[in-house]
Amino acid sequence: MVLKGTPVSPGIAIGKLYCYQPVHIEVSEGFCGAGEAEAQIARFEEVKGEAAKEIEAIRAALEALGDPEKAKIFTAHLDILDDVAITEEILQGIQEENWTGDWAIQKIYAKFERMIRKAKDPLIRERAADFDDVRKRLIRRWYGVQEKGLGALTEPVIVAARDLLPSDTASLDRKKVLAILTEVGGTTSHSAIIARSYEIPAILGIPDLMSQVRQDQSAAVDAGAGELILEPAPDTVKAYELKREEFRREAAETREFLGAEARTACGIRIDIGLNIGGADEQELAGEAVTDLVGLFRTEFLYMGRDSLPDEDEQFAVYKKVLQRYGGRPVTLRTLDIGGDKTLSSMNLPREDNPVLGNRALRLCFTYPEVFKTQLRAALRASVFGSLWLMLPMVGSIDDIRRATAFITEVKDELDAEGAAYDPHFKTGIMVEIPSIAVVADLAAKEVDFASIGTNDLCQYLTAVDRMNPRTAQYYQPYHPAMFRLIGNVVEQFNRAGKPICVCGEMGGDALAAPVLVGLGMRKLSMGLASVARIKRLLSSLTVEKAEQLAAAVINLSTAPEVEHYLRTNLRNETRQGA
Ligand code: PEP
Ligand code: MG
């Protein structure tokens, strides 16, 4: 039997399945009698203390193992455990609603988790797993049950689970885990991040996985293709052994490209940007192997908290990134919030069509103080590096002019205060709404640079909600219309002599990137996981071939035709592991 899921970390594995069932405790609604609240609160505080000790022990062990990045996940868990708002609501639930402590934990954590799961940004949504993890730990401690992780595996196995929480994987022995398979989770989940950083093949989001597999069943996994074969025939096993050897060879070769300068086979330099969502070490891990920050999604600083970050807090974060990149550009995108990405610190009204609503730049126009605080922080930080300020969700030239007026106002304020900023910082736009892409020639006259947000551009061009799984088949980044429209933007900005980049997912996509280069793009920005692969791909691609691909693609009729054409014609450049 063949099962399919989302490929999140490539590789081949052959072995026996280990069906992982973490401790599960059902919590039912419970109320305490008069006078019991105090005892429940005391028990809650006790359990919280025990949970903190457990988390701290895991964190310290990871530090000692030399894995500070993973240790950070558990520092975040300690922060969640100590979150004032959550604790207050739990105490209120016990005192005012007469909830039992376990029920209060269950209800309040579930509420916060739900809020985070509604975030538009997949990176933020995936953080719901941390809240889930802390909640389960508290509940487990409440009932005095011991932790059971993946640390006790005695032989190498393919781990199959409904979901894997950070705690499940904390003690994971990478030599004993041949592959990870789950029902839940996507490319940006913890399981995916950990699998990629350990180079463990992983397929997530396999529908009904756990009802179709059994303990010790034999399996073969091609994680790059998102394919799991249950009880493979001896011939299949042999074929997978060969694939595994080939993959290992290719992956080792690809790794060699991580630190290389990105050049096409004909010697044209392509700048590789890094997409980041913060200034911690995990986010900045790709600094040494990239030429710029192509996209800094600053909204992460605003999310999952009760108050807006003030100017000084933002300044410190922006300064850190700018300093780390020295004189290399840091493209700082101003707040892209709204739509279904809400902030607990801002009481934003509900809208019928939030994705088409008062979001990003439009929201900044509605809340000028929020916008100006961010602009002030960014401009003040500009003296520490090369700031490229980027405006999201620009739909018209009016939007650009209105935003520029705010920037001028902030500059005047800083001048009046005698506060320093780099007068040569650049101002640019995200091209992610089709209307601005069509008038790219006019936009290029107004700004210093642009970067194409292919994720939203595809959403708005094809009129498909990018978050709706029921319409996923209509969300087609390989639609010929996408390449035609991108082609127009690149041409207009190149003609105007203004830098142009792609910072949406297509920039790090091995099939799309060659076409983008063929359309004239010389700057691609992506997550760290794609950098080596794209550098390697470019090294085996000539601009002439890229141009031929682009010319062919824009004349094809459908997205599946484009994909098929690219897979066929890029077979050599996109080998496994590459
Ligand atoms: C995009 O829309 O392509 C983009 C890069 O921004 P985000 O994914 O944050 O909307
Ligand atoms: Mg976008």
Side-chain angles (χ1 to χ4, degrees):
M1 186 176 8
V2 181
L3 302 182
K4 291 206 164 226
T6 310
V8 299
S9 177
I12 307 288
I14 308 151
K16 269 199 273 178
L17 290 180
Y18 175 84
C19 298
Y20 178 60
Q21 305 280 7
V23 178
H24 177 73
I25 299 170
E26 200 67 55
V27 182
S28 44
E29 193 176 40
F31 295 92
C32 52
E36 278 179 50
E38 243 172 65
Q40 292 290 312
I41 288 175
R43 176 78 184 126
F44 168 62
E45 295 296 353
E46 188 183 9
V47 162
K48 220 175 115 187
E50 290 168 4
K53 269 196 208 140
E54 274 188 9
I55 300 174
E56 181 49 40
I58 301 176
R59 205 196 59 75
L62 289 168
E63 286 273 4
L65 278 172
D67 198 344
E69 295 313 324
K70 224 159 103 194
K72 267 213 190 96
I73 296 175
F74 293 90
T75 309
H77 285 201
L78 287 172
D79 292 342
I80 294 172
L81 197 62
D82 281 335
D83 188 278
V84 180
I86 297 180
T87 305
E88 250 173 32
E89 289 201 31
I90 289 174
L91 296 182
Q92 250 172 21
I94 299 173
Q95 280 164 331
E96 292 168 21
E97 309 288 337
N98 298 325
W99 292 339
T100 50
D102 55 339
W103 182 237
I105 295 169
Q106 178 74 17
K107 261 193 93 85
I108 301 303
Y109 268 87
K111 175 182 147 186
F112 277 79
E113 208 185 303
R114 263 197 313 276
M115 258 158 50
I116 291 173
R117 279 200 202 284
K118 279 199 200 131
K120 187 206 76 174
D121 204 305
L123 284 172
I124 296 190
R125 277 204 317 276
E126 302 289 2
R127 298 293 83 82
D130 295 301
F131 285 75
D132 193 32
D133 203 335
V134 175
R135 176 182 60 81
K136 286 188 174 140
R137 186 180 299 281
L138 284 166
I139 295 292
R140 188 172 51 66
R141 293 295 337 179
W142 186 279
Y143 290 96
V145 178
Q146 284 307 311
E147 182 159 30
K148 181 181 128 205
L150 277 171
L153 294 173
T154 49
E155 55 174 348
V157 287
I158 297 170
V159 173
R162 205 191 84 74
D163 192 9
L164 286 180
L165 292 172
S167 307
D168 299 323
T169 50
S171 50
L172 178 149
D173 177 349
R174 63 180 96 178
K175 291 197 198 76
K176 301 260 171 59
V177 180
L178 301 172
I180 292 174
L181 312 167
T182 68
E183 279 183 17
V184 179
T187 329
T188 50
S189 65
H190 277 303
S191 316
I193 294 167
I194 286 170
R196 277 195 296 268
S197 74
Y198 282 2
E199 297 184 356
I200 298 175
I203 310 174
L204 308 189
I206 306 174
D208 303 320
L209 172 70
M210 298 313 278
S211 61
Q212 307 192 62
V213 295
R214 40 179 183 76
Q215 184 70 13
D216 293 330
Q217 196 171 19
S218 64
V221 176
D222 181 346
E227 240 173 48
L228 159 68
I229 302 178
L230 295 174
E231 296 176 357
D235 283 359
T236 312
V237 172
K238 270 216 183 80
Y240 268 63
E241 279 166 356
L242 289 175
K243 270 191 186 191
R244 186 172 57 192
E245 275 323 296
E246 167 75 1
F247 178 85
R248 285 182 181 156
R249 207 171 36 246
E250 289 291 339
E253 277 178 30
T254 298
R255 262 195 302 277
E256 307 263 303
F257 282 82
L258 186 62
E261 208 181 52
R263 271 189 200 283
T264 61
C266 52
I268 299 298
R269 181 83 167 85
I270 308 289
D271 285 341
I272 301 294
L274 186 67
N275 290 357
I276 60 171
D280 64 27
E281 291 313 307
Q282 194 173 332
E283 295 287 344
L284 293 173
E287 178 269 319
V289 296
T290 48
D291 303 300
L292 68 151
V293 171
L295 172 63
F296 181 179
R297 289 181 164 101
T298 58
E299 53 274 13
F300 287 96
L301 299 177
Y302 293 70
M303 303 193 74
R305 49 188 292 164
D306 306 319
S307 59
L308 292 165
D310 67 18
E311 184 181 321
D312 285 342
E313 182 183 342
Q314 293 188 54
F315 167 77
V317 174
Y318 304 157
K319 175 181 163 185
K320 180 172 173 195
V321 179
L322 282 154
Q323 275 181 326
R324 278 293 279 276
Y325 268 77
R328 289 168 290 160
V330 171
T331 314
L332 186 152
R333 179 173 79 182
T334 59
L335 189 57
D336 185 0
I337 212 82
D340 51 358
K341 199 159 48 170
T342 54
L343 293 183
S344 41
S345 52
M346 281 176 95
N347 200 9
L348 301 172
R350 225 191 70 76
E351 293 177 313
D352 283 343
N353 293 301
V355 169
L356 302 177
N358 194 18
R359 55 172 292 205
L361 192 59
R362 301 169 188 173
L363 194 79
C364 285
F365 292 154
T366 318
Y367 296 91
E369 285 316 311
V370 175
F371 192 27
K372 280 175 63 183
T373 302
Q374 182 173 39
L375 293 175
R376 283 180 61 93
L379 261 60
R380 280 177 50 214
S382 67
V383 292
F384 296 97
S386 171
L387 173 70
W388 291 38
L389 194 66
M390 180 158 73
L391 308 164
M393 293 293 294
V394 167
S396 65
I397 302 296
D398 311 310
D399 285 345
I400 300 174
R401 293 185 182 158
R402 227 172 137 185
T404 311
F406 275 100
I407 296 168
T408 307
E409 202 179 312
V410 166
K411 284 203 294 195
D412 290 346
E413 269 179 32
L414 293 175
D415 285 338
E417 292 165 23
Y421 64 90
D422 172 13
H424 304 296
F425 78 88
K426 297 196 187 308
T427 306
I429 55 168
M430 293 277 296
V431 175
E432 51 186 346
I433 298 183
S435 55
I436 203 73
V438 171
V439 297
D441 55 330
L442 305 177
K445 292 191 187 125
E446 307 264 336
V447 296
D448 300 320
F449 72 95
S451 187
I452 305 178
T454 51
N455 310 340
D456 274 317
L457 187 63
C458 186
Q459 159 161 274
Y460 295 121
L461 185 63
T462 58
V464 183
D465 178 350
R466 71 193 243 200
M467 303 310 297
N468 184 348
R470 278 181 297 169
T471 54
Q473 60 170 308
Y474 302 105
Y475 183 86
Q476 299 180 327
Y478 298 139
H479 195 304
M482 280 292 284
F483 290 110
R484 289 190 188 192
L485 194 55
I486 292 170
N488 177 56
V489 180
V490 186
E491 188 185 333
Q492 299 305 336
F493 272 77
N494 280 345
R495 191 176 289 169
K498 304 269 172 89
I500 176 80
C501 178
V502 166
C503 63
E505 288 304 302
M506 284 172 87
D509 181 297
L511 290 185
V515 184
L516 299 175
V517 170
L519 291 170
M521 195 70 73
R522 296 293 177 263
K523 213 192 274 209
L524 301 168
S525 194
M526 61 203 71
L528 179 57
S530 305
V531 172
R533 192 179 58 215
I534 294 295
K535 285 184 178 178
R536 180 180 185 186
L537 167 74
L538 292 170
S539 76
S540 62
L541 180 82
T542 61
V543 168
E544 194 187 351
K545 171 152 186 190
E547 285 171 350
Q548 282 164 2
L549 291 172
V553 156
I554 58 171
N555 285 310
L556 289 174
S557 307
T558 68
E561 280 175 31
V562 170
E563 185 171 347
H564 177 74
Y565 175 84
L566 292 173
R567 282 200 191 287
T568 312
N569 285 279
L570 287 165
R571 199 168 280 138
N572 290 333
E573 290 84 352
T574 55
R575 283 167 295 180
Q576 277 178 357

